[in-house]
Each structure stands twice: as C-alpha cells, then as structure tokens.
Amino acid sequence: MITDTLFDITKASESRIADVDLDAPGFGREFADHMLEMEYRDGQWQQPEIKPFGSIEITPALNALHYAQSVFEGTKAYYVDGSTINLFRVQKNYERMARSCERMCIPTIEKDIFIEGIKELIRLDHQWVPEKEGNTLYIRPFACAFDPIISARVAEQYRFYIITSPVGSYYERPVKLTTTQQYVRAVKGGVGAAKTAGNYAASLYPAQQAKKEGFDQVLWLDAEEHTYVEEVGTMNIFFVIDGVLVTPSLRGTILPGVTRDSIIELAKHWDMPVEERRISIEEVMQAGKDDKLEEVFGAGTAAVVAPVEEVHHDGQSVTFDIDGRGPVGQKFYKAITDIQYGKAEDPFDWIASVKID
C-alpha cells in the first residue's frame, strides 16, 4: 500500500486493459483498473482509498436501494498526447455535486478529494484514456446512503466512489424528440436541478414509450402548464430561431448542464445573440412552420452537441433534412472539443491538464 497525503493507494496487481477495445468500447460497459472509495461514518468522511476496481458487498436492506438517497456526476478525460490528459471544467462538476448533496441530505465531499481523486485515478489509469478522437474516458463520481436499515429517514452512513469507463459516442446519429402531455420530469420545489438517481428512474418509462413510437428521447415540458420546454432526458436543449440562440432558463426544474453553460459562455464570447428564457413548445412549432427554426441541438457531457432531426408535438412535427450537426451546433462542437483535446486556446481557463510520468 502506497500512502499519499490525501489517499491510501493500492494498485491492481494486473491490468485488464488488454481485454478492452479502446477504439470501440461502447458506453458504460467497460471499467478501468482502479476506483476511489470513501466512507462516511461517525459524523465525518474517513480517509479515501484508491484501490482495484471491483464489486462491493452490500446488504439487501441498504438505505439507498429503498429510498434513493443518491447523487452522481459525469465528466470526461481527453487524450492530448503521451504525457498529457485533459479534464474539462471539473470545478463546475464539483460545485453541482455539492449542491446535489445538499439537496439530498448527503454530507458534502471536500473539493480536494473530488478533484484530486479524479486526477490521481487518471494518473494510475491513463492508458485507459482512448487515443481515438471522439472516444474518451468517462468519469463517474457518485455518493449514496449506506445505512443497513430500511427506514425513510436521512442516513447516518454514506459512501463516495469515483469509477472511470472508456466510452465512444453516446448518439451515433441525429435524434428524434417528442413531447408528452401525460408525464413530467420535475416540478417547482422538487429535485429537478439536482443530479440525483430518482430523476432518471422516473424518466425511463416515458422514454421507453417514446421509443416505441419511433423517437429517441422525450422533450420535457413544464409540469404546471405542459407548455414550456425544459430539457431532454439526457441533455439540455438549444434552438436557433431567426439567428438567435435560445435555451430554456434555469428555474429549479432543469439540470444546470456544464456543456449548456459552456455553450452560453462561448456564444457571448463570440457576440452571438443568445437568450435564456421561457420558450413554449408552440413557439418552437410555429417557428418551424415559418421556416425560422434553423437548428435544434442537445448539449451534455455524454453527447457534447447532438443534432436533432425531428421535434414532435401534439401530432405535428418539425423536421430537418440532416445527417449531422447543423452549422451552429457544429461550431460549438468544434470549439468545445478543440479546447478539450488541447487543439485550441482556452481563454476561459476550463482545462485542467494531468501530466503523466
């Protein structure tokens, strides 16, 4: 065991990387050699440990399994060269996880543990970062209740983990979206702005129904009036209407995406007209009919910028004859990925580079 100022480190005796095709890893199916684990007990977080990736033993009475007191994050590592791996805006991921923890009554993890833990895992498992452009190492920090008690109350014990996974593209083609008048993702006063497991579980059934109808994801509307666009199940949403970039404003029911924020910052940097505001689905559909809806795209860590080829609502569709990103979406995609892969200057100080010995 190697002792570090922040972490106890136990290295894997043998790497599993020879069994993985990093050029075609899929998404979330393969995992790198090491993980971080930290326990919360007796009112404080204990010494974090980095150890070989593997199964964890739990009781069927585990609190998190019954009451979903669980939060997570998602970020990526990008191969630059043999000595450098880039991380993108991990500070924003930490800040969002801290807010999610507070909302779900989970003790906040220290920033140094979160950020330095990611960096240390990258140093140990840097060979797992795919060199093929477009493929990355997905990083999944998560925390959950760990009481061995079936009781609907705030837990006293927790676990924090970071695991990593080589991944390819999340969407292989433009996506088709449909609204639903029957289901909602989040309500005011709820947990829509937190990255918590229950949000995603609740969205699975409507998404499954959408897929049966030939769509890829649900374009969620607000819970009160079923009128205003909020987000997609796996990403935030952007519209280009008559030359203006428009995205729904954050009102506590939308996840504040890191990629979303990056696109808005880039638009302002370029003096591109951008509006964060309430936008009704009727406005979107009418803009489509009037040929003013120039592009629609989603934005998220997994997808980066995903083009939308159809928006369906109440029996009507707006479609785009595309086989890839439109010019605006492509401009954002290229700008973000060029910064991520170290191909362009980073005027925003978004990148944290990890040096490999």
Side-chain angles (χ1 to χ4, degrees):
M1 179 174 290
I2 302 171
T3 302
D4 188 84
T5 53
L6 285 178
F7 312 105
D8 291 337
I9 301 176
T10 303
K11 291 186 177 182
S13 58
E14 186 176 353
S15 177
R16 294 174 286 102
I17 196 168
D19 299 327
V20 179
D21 181 1
L22 293 182
D23 288 339
F27 203 100
R29 297 181 179 275
E30 305 288 347
F31 298 93
D33 290 323
H34 298 89
M35 66 181 186
L36 183 147
E37 181 183 56
M38 183 170 64
E39 296 184 42
Y40 182 93
R41 64 176 186 272
D42 302 325
Q44 62 183 355
W45 287 107
Q46 306 297 309
Q47 174 76 6
E49 179 184 1
I50 291 176
K51 62 184 185 179
F53 178 89
S55 300
I56 57 175
E57 184 175 344
I58 63 171
T59 169
L62 191 73
N63 180 282
L65 296 179
H66 299 272
Y67 301 107
Q69 197 182 354
S70 176
V71 301
F72 65 94
E73 267 303 323
T75 186
K76 289 179 175 178
Y78 306 86
Y79 180 86
V80 177
D81 55 42
S83 62
T84 306
I85 305 296
N86 278 351
L87 300 172
F88 184 72
R89 305 198 75 182
V90 288
Q91 173 75 29
K92 293 287 288 186
N93 290 103
Y94 171 76
E95 291 169 357
R96 186 171 63 185
M97 186 160 191
R99 294 193 300 270
S100 297
C101 282
E102 181 179 7
R103 182 62 181 86
M104 301 306 293
C105 299
I106 296 173
T108 305
I109 293 94
E110 291 184 13
K111 183 170 67 174
D112 281 352
I113 299 299
F114 184 94
I115 294 178
E116 295 304 319
I118 290 173
K119 290 181 178 179
E120 191 60 45
L121 284 172
I122 297 303
R123 292 186 190 101
L124 283 170
D125 289 335
H126 62 90
Q127 291 182 331
W128 286 82
V129 182
E131 296 184 24
K132 179 182 177 182
E133 188 165 335
N135 291 0
T136 56
L137 187 72
Y138 188 79
I139 302 164
R140 170 51 59 89
F142 64 99
C144 61
F146 233 76
D147 280 7
I149 301 169
I150 298 178
S151 178
R153 60 170 176 77
V154 174
E156 295 178 356
Q157 299 177 58
Y158 299 87
R159 292 276 183 92
F160 171 63
Y161 291 93
I162 305 175
I163 58 176
T164 64
S165 172
V167 297
S169 299
Y170 195 79
Y171 290 115
E172 299 290 345
R173 56 172 177 76
V175 297
K176 299 180 179 181
L177 307 178
T178 184
T179 62
T180 174
Q181 296 290 322
Q182 187 175 1
Y183 303 101
V184 298
R185 177 189 174 274
V187 298
K188 280 188 175 181
V191 295
K195 201 165 178 66
T196 182
N199 285 345
Y200 294 81
S203 72
L204 294 179
Y205 181 79
Q208 185 182 60
Q209 298 305 109
K211 288 181 180 179
K212 288 180 180 179
E213 297 172 7
F215 302 97
D216 298 294
Q217 278 286 342
V218 174
L219 179 61
W220 293 106
L221 304 179
D222 73 286
E224 295 179 34
E225 302 176 58
H226 294 272
T227 296
Y228 295 97
V229 176
E230 298 214 316
E231 64 176 283
V232 183
T234 54
M235 52 192 175
N236 296 116
I237 192 75
F238 285 85
F239 307 95
V240 182
I241 302 175
D242 205 16
V244 179
L245 183 67
V246 182
T247 193
S249 53
L250 302 177
R251 296 167 52 85
T253 56
I254 297 173
L255 188 72
V258 175
T259 309
R260 173 190 182 275
D261 183 77
S262 303
I263 287 173
I264 293 169
E265 287 298 308
L266 280 168
K268 292 176 179 178
H269 183 69
W270 295 335
D271 292 325
M272 178 185 292
V274 57
E275 296 176 355
E276 294 180 76
R277 62 174 175 85
R278 299 195 86 185
I279 178 169
S280 69
I281 188 62
E282 285 76 14
E283 179 183 350
V284 172
M285 302 304 290
Q286 189 61 50
K289 292 177 183 178
D290 296 340
D291 292 326
K292 293 184 178 180
L293 184 61
E294 299 162 16
E295 271 183 60
V296 182
F297 58 86
T301 296
V304 189
V305 174
V308 173
E309 66 173 314
E310 180 178 358
V311 177
H312 177 269
H313 172 69
D314 197 23
Q316 303 292 319
S317 284
V318 175
T319 59
F320 300 88
D321 185 16
I322 56 174
D323 58 7
R325 299 176 193 87
V328 177
Q330 178 60 28
K331 183 177 182 179
F332 284 116
Y333 175 83
K334 186 177 188 308
I336 290 172
T337 55
D338 279 357
I339 291 173
Q340 290 169 337
Y341 286 98
K343 296 180 178 181
E345 291 185 9
D346 174 20
F348 310 100
D349 197 26
W350 284 345
I351 293 297
S353 293
V354 180
K355 296 298 180 181
I356 308 303
D357 296 332

